[in-house]
Amino acid sequence: MFDADRPIIKSEQDRLGRSVFAKYLARCILDHKNPDSFVIGLYGGWGTGKTSIINLTLEELHLAASNMLDEEKPVILNFSPWSYSGQNQLIYSFFRRLSSEIRHSPYIEKAEKIIQLLELYISFFTHQPIPKAFRPKHTMMTKLSKPRLTKEEAFGWESGRDLTQVKQELNELLRKQKHKIIIFIDNIARIEDTEINQIFQIVKSMGDYINTVYVLTIDKEHIIQAMNRIHGSGGAEYLEKIVQLPFDVPDISKQDVENILLDKLRQVVETVPENMWDHEYWADVYYSTLKYFFKSCRDITRYVNTLNFGFERVKDLVNPVDFFAIIAIAVFEPHVFYGIRDNKDLFTDFIAHVFEQDQEKVIEDKLRCDEILSRAEHIPNEILLQLLIYLFPQLRSIYESAVPFYHNEELARRNRRICSAEFFEIYFRLSLPTGNMSESEMNALVSLTHDEASFEQAILRLNKDERISQFLALLDSVAVNKINMTDIGNVVKALLNSADLFPEGASDPLTFNTPMHIHRILHQLLRRLDTAEERFDIFREAIKKATMSIYILVHELRFQAKEHIESEDTFIPLDQRDFTTEQVGILQKLTVEKILYWSEIGRLAEHPKLLDILYAWKEWGAEDECKRFVALMVQEDKGLIAFLCSALKEPIQQAITLLAKNPDWENGLRHIKDFISIDMIESHAKLMFEDPSFEKLRENEQLAILIFLDLIHADTVKIIPNTSA
């Protein structure tokens, strides 16, 4: 449920006790006996509820009018000059609206004559002709005797009438009426200075009619400054002359603001499962910090609307108290919010414990956090810092190092806290990314390379946050040179163990995909080592330790092998190669051992790069073992589908995107024949196609079987099951 930033319109919506004042104001206006024009001013700043008071007063006036005699019912005009601002027709629009209200009031005596005089009076100021419908009606005899009268009476200044006389005659007619004309003018502070001056000219001189009461909403300081800019000085005195009865609309009390806020939040909290709401934590966060963020109802509306908009989507993924708090920062201090978002390493356990004893790092982190806090424009720094410490307990080590505190990373993850690196990104899903990884975060990540496990954990988190590609692109630049010589092995091992989990990315003549970025990073690191033996030892150890990746080993060793191809176009001098020919051969054999192990534990068939790995196995190891594995694999439905999907990957993608057959698809058939005879899988593929469960396969799996059968020109019969309407 969302609240528009609108004033209340009915007394039943009043939460601030303004209805009583509005009722008395309405009754006093009706009871006011002095026939002279009277001006009431409602003074208050932005967001104090002046328009709401007008609406409540209007409600009471209409209620009172419904119980009055016809000859006493008031004429009520609610005029907002903001609606006509900038049209150079403010005066004209005001009098047009007033004339219209009188015209639609059926109880006014001599209404036609009053409207004619009012229209004549208007034309003096607006230089607009009197509408034909409101010009005096003449008999044919009058028209013949005074043929130029109609044209003259179309303009006030050509009518032969004096402006003062017209107003006097109009006032005499209004004096004889019991109807009050009550005019509300709101939103004055929103219009231009010259238009504010026009409004006061209307109230003070042009429209100061008998039995007329004006109620103006006034932002006093704004109006005084506007009058000073127009007249040079004297704005306060000018305002005092215009407003005869001022009322100060007080700012909404802090207690009222708090009550309204908690009522609004209660509606949101009702959607949160009880076991997910930490009452004690909320009390700490709200009463110590959040309550001081809200000063007006508009603050509440902005906040609650933003909260409602995003919470429903993530409520099962976040800690609700943390989400309520970070949204408050987003609404009231957006620059601080972005600073938090862009410095994940500073605010989470992203690199926890690695720098616990590093005082230089603590000083650096404090400078970074102080800079982010300095972006605050509305909330005092001490309140904001206290809130950040609640949200991110790790900051206590920076700002309250002498105060004992407890923070458990596992508990933070379990409670989906924003301080957990695993959940941090979820809280910022509705903020547009900057597209940049901050230099400070990049430096922190590079600093982690002295600990292999910490660095590997960090890059796996980057992968989960969908930022690994950005990190690799930055590392594949000057950042790679910031890695200490003693930490090169840690980086090589971490990347070779994790890379298969990263998105491959696109590759074209101008960009590199993920495996190519990693190759370039590894090459730059290895070249910093003096000897091929040092490089070989690091790489061999990385292959032995790799448990999560296999394809990146194949990809890297293929590129290393290219250095040893003796051709004029690709020849690389011996001293520029990362490894010797013999070392490459040993590393390839180690990789084949890894491939064989993966095949034995059942992980190889599931790999999306199965075909590339099989070719490496076939070329670097025992071809018979490789083919035997494929033969066993395709006996199972799942294995056959995986093999065909890998061998026919490009035809499948083209079929999905281009919806057309390509002669190059024959290459896919060649890939299949490199590992197994077509005869050994044809009948199995036919059975799967003809089986009723074929329709339950995913689109790419169905296409793998269909394309294969089409390439071998297989004769198949597909029985379409009967359906009933």
Side-chain angles (χ1 to χ4, degrees), residues 447-464:
S447 299
L448 286 176
T449 57
H450 77 269
D451 183 283
E452 179 190 340
S454 296
F455 179 68
E456 183 172 296
Q457 183 184 31
I459 60 177
L460 288 174
R461 283 179 171 171
L462 285 173
N463 185 49
K464 186 173 182 179

Side-chain angles (χ1 to χ4, degrees), residues 460-705:
L460 288 174
R461 283 179 171 171
L462 285 173
N463 185 49
K464 186 173 182 179
D465 296 342
E466 299 181 355
R467 297 196 299 157
I468 188 64
S469 299
Q470 185 183 10
F471 170 73
L472 292 175
L474 290 173
L475 190 60
D476 183 11
S477 61
V478 294
V480 75
N481 296 320
K482 296 181 180 180
I483 297 172
N484 293 328
M485 291 283 291
T486 54
D487 301 335
I488 288 175
N490 294 335
V491 177
V492 173
K493 293 171 189 175
L495 289 177
L496 289 181
N497 190 37
S498 309
D500 281 15
L501 306 178
F502 304 159
E504 184 176 13
S507 181
D508 58 49
L510 297 177
T511 59
F512 298 125
N513 61 15
T514 297
M516 195 60 191
H517 268 306
I518 290 176
H519 168 69
R520 287 172 48 79
I521 292 166
L522 295 178
H523 177 68
Q524 293 175 74
L525 290 173
L526 292 174
R527 294 311 304 171
R528 291 172 59 191
L529 300 174
D530 294 332
T531 66
E533 197 63 35
E534 290 179 87
R535 297 189 283 270
F536 173 73
D537 288 342
I538 287 176
F539 216 89
R540 178 177 57 185
E541 188 64 23
I543 293 176
K544 288 180 179 179
K545 292 188 66 175
T547 58
M548 295 187 293
S549 298
I550 189 73
Y551 168 71
I552 193 64
L553 305 178
V554 171
H555 180 275
E556 186 59 27
L557 289 174
R558 285 203 180 281
F559 269 89
Q560 292 294 343
K562 285 183 179 181
E563 294 185 358
H564 300 270
I565 297 176
E566 303 291 341
S567 84
E568 293 182 1
D569 293 335
T570 60
F571 178 77
I572 296 176
L574 294 176
D575 62 343
Q576 295 298 314
R577 300 175 186 179
D578 291 339
F579 308 112
T580 67
T581 303
E582 292 74 22
Q583 288 171 342
V584 171
I586 294 171
L587 296 175
Q588 288 174 341
K589 293 296 182 184
L590 282 173
T591 301
V592 169
E593 291 177 12
K594 284 284 182 181
I595 295 172
L596 182 59
Y597 175 70
W598 277 51
S599 70
E600 291 171 352
I601 63 174
R603 292 182 64 186
L604 187 59
E606 302 170 354
H607 203 290
K609 290 290 187 178
L610 173 63
L611 187 67
D612 299 87
I613 299 170
L614 289 177
Y615 271 118
W617 189 1
K618 180 182 175 184
E619 295 170 19
W620 303 342
E623 182 176 347
D624 291 342
E625 283 185 340
C626 176
K627 290 185 175 180
R628 189 160 46 250
F629 165 77
V630 174
L632 289 172
M633 173 184 171
V634 298
Q635 290 179 15
E636 301 290 335
D637 288 356
K638 185 178 179 181
L640 177 59
I641 289 174
F643 178 68
L644 291 178
C645 284
S646 185
L648 300 171
K649 181 179 179 180
E650 289 189 13
I652 292 170
Q653 290 176 341
Q654 291 176 10
I656 293 173
T657 57
L658 302 178
L659 304 176
K661 187 175 179 180
N662 190 321
D664 291 340
W665 290 7
E666 292 290 340
N667 292 330
L669 199 57
R670 177 176 56 79
H671 293 320
I672 295 172
K673 292 177 181 179
D674 282 342
F675 296 96
I676 195 167
S677 168
I678 298 298
D679 296 337
M680 293 180 66
I681 58 175
E682 180 178 357
S683 58
H684 189 178
K686 285 182 180 180
L687 285 173
M688 291 191 68
F689 171 66
E690 295 168 358
D691 193 278
S693 61
F694 175 79
E695 280 72 21
K696 297 180 181 179
L697 298 176
R698 288 189 284 266
E699 181 184 17
N700 66 314
E701 295 173 342
Q702 292 181 7
L703 284 171
I705 295 173

